[in-house]
Amino acid sequence: MRVLGIETSCDETGVAIFDSEKGLLADALYSQVAMHSEYGGVVPELASRDHVRKLLPLIREVLAEAQLSLHDLDGVAFTAGPGLIGALMVGASTGRALAMGLGIPAIAVHHMEGHLLAPMLEENPPSFPFVALLVSGGHTQLVKVEGIGEYELLGESLDDAAGEAFDKAAKMLGLDYPGGPLIARLAEKGDRSRFRFPRPMTDRPGLEFSFSGLKTFTLNTANAHRDEQGQIDDQTMADIAAAFEDAVVDTLSIKCRRALQQTGLKQLIIAGGVSANRHLRLKLEAAVKKEGAELYYARAKFCTDNGAMIAYAGCQRLLAGQASDLTILAKPRWPMETLEPIS
Ligand code: ATP
Ligand code: MG
Ligand code: FE
């Protein structure tokens, strides 16, 4: 089965074609980051308009790359939520209409299920059941995964998501949006022992997270090291970035070990934009080993938003006989625990 995947939930237009026998045939991405960075964050109306401008050209591009025509497709998967309503509407209406015109089924995909299944696109993928750490711009969740659509939320952030915390800390250091990758790059040159930031909520039992306090800590540390012109020297910037990254990574590792202990499972997958973070991958690799478990993640370009994860997730659901009706489904809020299992 060949499925076209469409992702337009936020500021990335992602399109891909996944073949259940041959794997991923093509994928293309257009990021609106440059446009939004002028405003320091995503401007919803501009995002919707840019998806309209880019979606059809990207669909043509992946078809050409895979040397296929629209009539070679067996299904269309589109992200139906959670996300920005206007942005979601672009992918949902295009995907739904395309499938209807072609006389093939369409499937509404949950964006976080897409992220969660992205490691399945790699060689040597994990097998169910496993624990998933979803760390993205809008989510920080630990989920027990028994199968596709069988999700038990073990814990989540009570305030900011991990990616959001990276972006806000970056803003306080005067870095561009999105700041996660910029903090990570700075941190590589930082002295990780100069500042020590707290590891929020690790001193009590449970799998909940809280990252909002770290941005205050970042701001206070930055302000304490400004010169008369309000500038912070390069080394101090790098040291603060390293301390911040360490605090987030350490906190995530502690909770991941706890989740493995609590569930008795021996596989941890990490997904979402922050799972591209190299320091997180290294630290978790070591933490997971101490539990006698294995760590899995997607290649970096499939950690952040992309069409491949949507094509993959949609294909699994279509293969199981699921399909969406003719409603153009776009749900800005959509709890993942309400999804249907595939069998
Ligand atoms: P959600 O998936 O929750 O709806 P989103 O789609 O906006 O949110 P993603 O695209 O999965 O989020 O990830 C983007 C986030 O990942 C941003 O907050 C970004 O700063 C962060 N991020 C990306 N790369 C890195 C990195 N190397 N280190 C830390 N954070 C990173
Ligand atoms: Mg994004
Ligand atoms: Fe995302």
Side-chain angles (χ1 to χ4, degrees):
M1 174 181 273
R2 264 184 229 122
V3 177
L4 176 74
I6 297 174
E7 157 61 39
T8 65
S9 70
C10 188
D11 60 349
E12 254 99 33
T13 317
V15 179
I17 301 171
F18 181 81
D19 183 313
S20 55
E21 269 142 46
K22 296 181 190 148
L24 191 65
L25 300 182
D27 70 286
L29 186 86
Y30 175 77
S31 175
Q32 307 175 351
V33 154
M35 177 180 71
H36 296 294
S37 75
E38 244 180 85
Y39 305 90
V42 179
V43 183
E45 181 56 26
L46 295 182
S48 315
R49 290 174 191 220
D50 229 27
H51 286 307
V52 170
R53 197 168 66 86
K54 281 293 177 185
L55 185 52
L56 290 176
L58 284 181
I59 293 174
R60 282 192 205 103
E61 193 180 317
V62 292
L63 285 167
E65 192 190 326
Q67 298 185 315
L68 296 173
S69 84
L70 280 173
H71 300 282
D72 296 316
L73 298 173
D74 303 305
V76 179
F78 58 87
T79 303
L84 301 169
I85 181 73
L88 289 168
M89 283 298 289
V90 178
S93 51
T94 307
R96 185 54 274 191
L98 198 56
M100 193 175 84
L102 293 168
I104 56 177
I107 183 90
V109 173
H110 191 288
H111 181 76
M112 297 313 294
E113 177 168 86
H115 276 305
L116 190 149
L117 296 176
M120 297 293 192
L121 290 163
E122 303 304 325
E123 271 176 44
N124 180 30
S127 51
F128 301 112
F130 52 72
V131 173
L133 172 70
L134 301 178
V135 269
S136 57
H139 295 78
T140 300
Q141 299 184 323
L142 274 163
V143 184
K144 183 177 171 187
V145 182
E146 299 276 1
I148 294 177
E150 296 176 64
Y151 308 127
E152 182 193 334
L153 184 65
L154 301 171
E156 65 183 332
S157 178
L158 304 177
D159 43 55
D160 293 350
E164 188 181 359
F166 264 97
D167 296 338
K168 287 179 175 171
K171 207 170 198 170
M172 284 165 179
L173 293 174
L175 303 172
D176 276 348
Y177 176 86
L182 301 175
I183 292 226
R185 204 175 311 148
L186 259 183
E188 280 177 22
K189 289 174 265 162
D191 170 1
R192 293 186 185 271
S193 63
R194 177 157 167 215
F195 303 113
R196 188 176 166 84
F197 285 20
R199 274 64 173 148
M201 300 187 71
T202 52
D203 56 353
R204 64 190 99 164
L207 297 171
E208 254 76 55
F209 303 90
S210 165
F211 290 114
S212 72
L214 284 179
K215 61 181 188 246
T216 319
F217 220 86
T218 305
L219 188 63
N220 290 344
T221 311
N223 286 345
H225 292 83
R226 290 188 198 279
D227 61 21
E228 283 99 76
Q229 282 79 45
Q231 300 298 310
I232 305 168
D233 68 85
D234 290 351
Q235 190 56 50
T236 301
M237 284 278 281
D239 296 345
I240 295 174
F244 173 85
E245 184 183 59
D246 251 22
V248 174
V249 165
D250 226 23
T251 305
L252 293 173
S253 310
I254 291 168
K255 303 277 168 150
C256 283
R257 279 188 76 177
R258 258 185 219 171
L260 289 172
Q261 288 161 2
Q262 188 178 310
T263 57
L265 294 175
K266 294 294 177 199
Q267 296 177 98
L268 175 74
I269 72 112
I270 52 172
V274 181
S275 69
N277 184 279
R278 286 183 43 217
H279 193 56
L280 176 68
R281 291 173 173 206
L282 278 173
K283 276 289 189 81
L284 269 181
E285 201 89 58
V288 156
K289 203 171 264 171
K290 285 187 188 138
E291 299 301 324
E294 289 283 339
L295 180 69
Y296 299 86
Y297 44 75
R299 72 198 86 160
K301 73 167 179 174
F302 294 156
C303 290
T304 43
D305 294 349
N306 65 86
M309 66 185 193
I310 303 304
Y312 178 84
C315 184
Q316 304 315 306
R317 287 191 173 273
L318 288 168
L319 282 172
Q322 296 184 359
S324 302
D325 62 20
L326 288 177
T327 316
I328 293 173
L329 195 68
K331 302 208 260 190
R333 290 176 186 281
W334 188 8
M336 200 166 63
E337 308 88 83
T338 62
L339 294 181
E340 264 180 62
I342 66 163
S343 47

